[in-house]
Amino acid sequence: MRASQFINENIDSDAVNELDTYIMNNEELYRRRFMPIISNIKRKLAKNVYDHEKAQKLWMYLIDDAARKYVQEFGSSGTDVKDMFPKETRQQVARIISDRELENIK
């Protein structure tokens, strides 16, 4: 097997890292979106109703909001969120953040 078979060519790892870094360093996103999601996950873990797949969908609200803000701040006038951060890229960021934050919460 070739290594290229394991790599999803639709996902730009630089874009994933850039969006993840932007989210973690943006105070407004952190306060307005990130912390409420963390609180929600803590409640679900305490009630033993946590579902990791659904949590990734929950993180997508933060990811989509961050992608829009990033494009507004750094994109050119004709740049669209879908062009800069395709859905697969945003989903990868959601998986990374979901896995990382679940470990931090536990």
Side-chain angles (χ1 to χ4, degrees):
M1 295 201 127
R2 295 181 177 169
S4 62
Q5 291 175 329
F6 298 137
I7 299 171
N8 189 344
E9 296 172 6
N10 293 333
I11 297 176
D12 180 8
S13 63
D14 292 334
V16 169
N17 292 333
E18 184 70 22
L19 188 55
D20 185 23
T21 303
Y22 181 76
I23 289 167
M24 299 311 288
N25 291 311
N26 188 306
E27 182 182 349
E28 180 185 348
L29 286 171
Y30 187 82
R31 183 175 26 83
R32 197 170 49 98
R33 290 282 191 182
F34 191 89
M35 289 312 295
I37 293 171
I38 294 292
S39 298
N40 189 338
I41 290 173
K42 284 181 181 179
R43 278 193 309 274
K44 291 189 183 302
L45 283 169
K47 293 179 180 179
N48 291 322
V49 294
Y50 177 79
D51 182 356
H52 196 62
E53 293 299 317
K54 289 181 181 177
Q56 291 177 11
K57 291 179 184 178
L58 180 62
W59 285 108
M60 282 300 291
Y61 290 107
L62 167 68
I63 306 302
D64 291 340
D65 197 21
R68 281 190 293 277
K69 288 178 71 71
Y70 186 93
V71 169
Q72 280 181 338
E73 194 171 334
F74 299 110
S76 60
S77 61
T79 306
D80 188 25
V81 172
K82 295 173 189 164
D83 297 333
M84 192 175 273
F85 300 110
K87 185 174 183 177
E88 296 83 18
T89 302
R90 289 180 279 141
Q91 288 173 332
Q92 179 65 26
V93 174
R95 280 189 291 276
I96 290 169
I97 291 176
S98 179
D99 294 342
R100 180 178 61 219
E101 295 307 320
L102 179 61
E103 289 303 314
N104 290 340
I105 290 169
K106 286 183 177 179

